[in-house]
Amino acid sequence: SQQGEEDPQALSIQEGENATMNCSYKTSINNLQWYRQNSGRGLVHLILIRSNEREKHSGRLRVTLDTSKKSSSLLITASRAADTASYFCATDAWGDSNYQLIWGAGTKLIIKP
Amino acid sequence: NAGVTQTPKFRVLKTGQSMTLLCAQDMNHEYMYWYRQDPGMGLRLIHYSVGEGTTAKGEVPDGYNVSRLKKQNFLLGLESAAPSQTSVYFCASRLGWDEQFFGPGTRLTVL
């Protein structure tokens, strides 16, 4: 079942601004991942943060994880038109030997030029 | 290194017809997954496999069957297609506790 929830469902900002989207989950996790999906395409992995990490950076991306609140945030700095996409968080449930990811419903991000 | 490939890319079926979607990966991954994604929605897991010769049901398995006869291939079958199965189907694979690699998707329309 989809236990992850992204917030907001949709976000529209001007190019150059920062975009922040949030993810909440329900179970204890091994790690949390963020993916991007351009319209009509497959998902592309952006970043993985492990349960014992609090913050991770990759280029213009910054991810935080608060396991006490069961939440994560993805910050995209200095947004570009090419960042227009849907963003999904996914979690690995602790102890799941089938390595299934639990997916959120996604945040649709639109960058206006 | 092609990653994860899916065939076909597009397909139109009539209600009651059958078809098989093929997923292939060349990364020697143990774990493979079939998802469906309906418009404006997230991914829902149909079936998955934790290794050659093994399959298991996901969240929405009804109306679908799968087989994993070879480690690199994961087949998804629709025995009697229904309009409710109109969707985009994604295959993914992973090694373990790391990222999933996705195929480009198959857009299926059932009339």
Side-chain angles (χ1 to χ4, degrees), chain B residues 7-56:
Chain B
T7 52
K9 289 186 170 54
F10 303 93
R11 187 71 186 269
V12 178
L13 291 178
K14 294 181 180 178
T15 297
Q17 288 184 319
S18 64
M19 77 164 294
T20 300
L21 283 69
L22 171 64
C23 175
Q25 52 95 3
D26 60 2
M27 296 172 283
N28 202 34
H29 288 169
E30 288 291 341
Y31 306 95
M32 296 187 74
Y33 310 84
W34 275 108
Y35 296 96
R36 62 176 288 173
Q37 185 179 36
D38 298 319
M41 305 285 286
L43 299 176
R44 290 189 291 171
L45 182 64
I46 305 171
H47 285 280
Y48 64 98
S49 169
V50 300
E52 182 178 312
T54 72
T55 63

Side-chain angles (χ1 to χ4, degrees), chain A residues 15 36 38 60 76 79-85 87 109 111:
Chain A
E15 193 168 17
R36 182 186 73 228
N38 292 95
R60 294 183 296 113
I76 303 173
S79 63
R80 305 167 182 170
D83 294 328
T84 293
Y87 292 82
L109 176 64
I111 308 299

Side-chain angles (χ1 to χ4, degrees), chain A residues 6-112:
Chain A
E6 280 96 340
D7 170 53
Q9 290 186 327
L11 179 62
S12 181
I13 61 174
Q14 292 294 137
E15 193 168 17
E17 294 181 338
N18 295 341
T20 299
M21 52 204 88
N22 305 296
C23 169
S24 60
Y25 57 91
K26 297 178 182 176
T27 62
S28 296
I29 62 170
N30 280 311
N31 61 56
L32 184 144
Q33 305 182 39
W34 285 91
Y35 289 77
R36 182 186 73 228
Q37 183 181 34
N38 292 95
S39 181
R41 302 287 187 93
L43 279 75
V44 174
H45 181 260
L46 295 176
I47 197 163
L48 181 152
I49 185 164
R50 303 199 186 282
S51 60
N52 60 355
E53 298 175 313
R54 292 296 167 258
E55 188 171 312
K56 202 160 184 181
H57 296 255
S58 177
R60 294 183 296 113
L61 306 180
R62 173 178 168 251
V63 169
T64 61
L65 178 65
D66 186 335
T67 53
S68 66
K69 295 182 179 178
K70 290 187 168 60
S71 68
S72 172
S73 67
L74 171 67
L75 168 67
I76 303 173
T77 61
S79 63
R80 305 167 182 170
D83 294 328
T84 293
S86 291
Y87 292 82
F88 295 89
C89 71
T91 54
D92 273 304
W94 180 259
D96 178 10
S97 60
N98 293 321
Y99 300 98
Q100 292 183 54
L101 284 174
I102 302 172
W103 294 87
T107 292
K108 187 169 185 177
L109 176 64
I110 297 173
I111 308 299
K112 295 179 287 186

